[in-house]
Amino acid sequence: MDGDFHDLPDDPSALKAMISDIRRSNSSLEAEVAALKAASADAQARIERLQLL
């Protein structure tokens, strides 16, 4: 689909379903990014503590 708008369905219901799927996927990815950022911050804090030792 990557930017090729000619392949989009003409049916509004199908388009709404696609948008809903994209939003769900986006929300899931945003949650994963937040979790990875938190893990990175925890790892960085541990590295800093270990370097002080």
Side-chain angles (χ1 to χ4, degrees):
M1 178 88 40
D2 299 332
D4 190 3
F5 297 112
H6 299 1
D7 292 338
L8 290 174
D10 291 328
D11 178 35
S13 296
L15 290 170
K16 287 179 182 179
M18 289 174 71
I19 290 169
S20 179
D21 289 345
I22 290 168
R23 284 183 174 165
R24 254 192 315 278
S25 177
N26 188 47
S27 293
S28 175
L29 291 171
E30 286 175 348
E32 187 175 347
V33 166
L36 290 171
K37 283 182 179 180
S40 176
D42 289 345
Q44 187 60 42
R46 185 169 187 212
I47 288 168
E48 290 170 7
R49 283 193 306 273
L50 290 171
Q51 285 176 335
L52 290 174
L53 295 174

